[in-house]
């Protein structure tokens, strides 16, 4: 509990412009950010690159944290967006420089990029959702990935609670369908 309180205290002071507290905050949240990125990007190097982008985004945008919610709540969408961006980058790179069949067969999943050596169905489904139904992405990201409650999602998006629930239902149905299709 002390660690969480310290993170909140540092975030408030960093948002007010205290550079030392910002550095302390980044140092304190770094390992957790890497763990969160690693839930989506199984290759450690990919997760670390995404985590670096998260920390950079926090440093650049900390002044937008107003303390109305917990800092970790503010941080969730930053993590998810950076992971999704990293995934897209890896996907583009994989399309430009595909591995040979021999490289794929001998690839170590712990060191092979997510695109080169394994599938991340959920990130692919989110990309498809964004292409086909962009208005459904934010509700599902905030509720299912960031674990905000329905009221927080509605407030953050500026839409009625019923609309949030409806969009979540539509998004989950589409994602479930796409995941069932397989690769």
């Amino acid at each position: 509990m002390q660690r969480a309180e310290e993170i909140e205290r540092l975030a408030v002071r960093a948002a007010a412009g205290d550079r030392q507290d910002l550095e302390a905050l980044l140092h304190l949240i770094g390992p957790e950010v890497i763990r969160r990125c690693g839930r989506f990007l199984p290759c450690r190097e990919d997760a670390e690159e995404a985590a670096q982008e998260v920390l950079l985004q926090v440093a650049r945008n900390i002044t937008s944290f107003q303390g109305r919610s917990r800092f970790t709540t503010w941080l969730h969408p930053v993590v998810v967006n950076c992971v999704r961006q990293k995934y897209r980058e890896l996907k583009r790179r994989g399309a430009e420089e595909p591995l040979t069949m021999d490289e794929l067969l001998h690839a170590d999943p712990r060191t092979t990029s997510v695109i080169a050596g394994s599938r991340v169905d959920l990130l692919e489904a989110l990309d498809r959702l964004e292409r086909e139904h962009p208005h459904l992405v934010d509700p599902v990201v905030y509720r299912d990935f960031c674990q905000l409650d329905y009221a927080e999602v509605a407030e953050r998006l500026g839409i009625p609670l019923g609309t949030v629930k409806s969009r979540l239902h539509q998004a989950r149905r589409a994602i479930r369908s796409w995941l069932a299709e397989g690769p």
Side-chain angles (χ1 to χ4, degrees):
M1 192 63 167
Q2 288 178 338
R3 185 172 185 271
E5 291 170 5
E6 183 177 3
I7 288 172
E8 294 301 320
R9 182 181 53 77
L10 289 170
V12 168
R13 293 201 322 230
D18 188 313
R19 299 299 295 170
Q20 281 186 310
D21 283 333
L22 174 60
E23 288 182 32
L25 175 67
L26 296 175
H27 179 73
L28 197 57
I29 66 171
E32 178 61 22
V33 168
I34 291 172
R35 274 192 295 282
R36 288 183 187 185
C37 292
R39 290 179 190 154
F40 297 99
L41 300 167
C43 176
R44 177 130 179 111
E45 289 82 5
D46 295 340
E48 287 173 349
E49 284 182 32
Q52 286 300 313
E53 184 59 31
V54 169
L55 297 176
L56 182 61
Q57 291 298 319
V58 169
R60 286 182 179 158
N61 300 309
I62 191 67
T63 56
S64 71
F65 174 64
Q66 299 172 351
R68 291 188 307 223
S69 64
R70 297 182 56 77
F71 173 74
T72 52
T73 302
W74 180 87
L75 181 63
H76 282 304
V78 177
V79 171
V80 173
N81 288 333
C82 288
V83 165
R84 291 180 66 213
Q85 185 59 39
K86 183 63 180 173
Y87 174 74
R88 289 183 194 117
E89 175 190 321
L90 292 168
K91 190 173 175 180
R92 276 192 307 274
R93 195 181 318 149
E96 292 168 3
E97 305 167 16
L99 293 179
T100 66
M101 184 55 75
D102 188 54
E103 289 171 320
L104 279 173
L105 291 173
H106 295 94
D108 181 346
R110 294 166 296 171
T111 60
T112 303
S113 172
V114 67
I115 302 304
S118 60
R119 270 177 44 216
V120 179
D121 293 346
L122 197 49
L123 290 174
E124 186 61 39
L126 279 174
D127 273 355
R128 185 172 175 183
L129 187 66
E130 189 166 43
R131 286 190 309 273
E132 296 181 19
H133 309 285
H135 66 287
L136 301 178
V137 174
D138 285 342
V140 80
V141 166
Y142 286 141
R143 176 69 185 125
D144 294 343
F145 291 93
C146 302
Q147 300 173 337
L148 300 181
D149 64 35
Y150 291 104
E152 288 177 300
V153 174
E155 180 183 329
R156 192 168 279 222
L157 296 177
I159 59 177
L161 185 61
T163 303
V164 167
K165 291 180 178 181
S166 172
R167 288 181 183 179
L168 277 168
H169 175 72
Q170 292 171 30
R172 289 171 178 161
R173 186 177 57 212
I175 289 171
R176 196 170 25 253
S177 162
W178 297 330
L179 291 176
E181 288 175 7

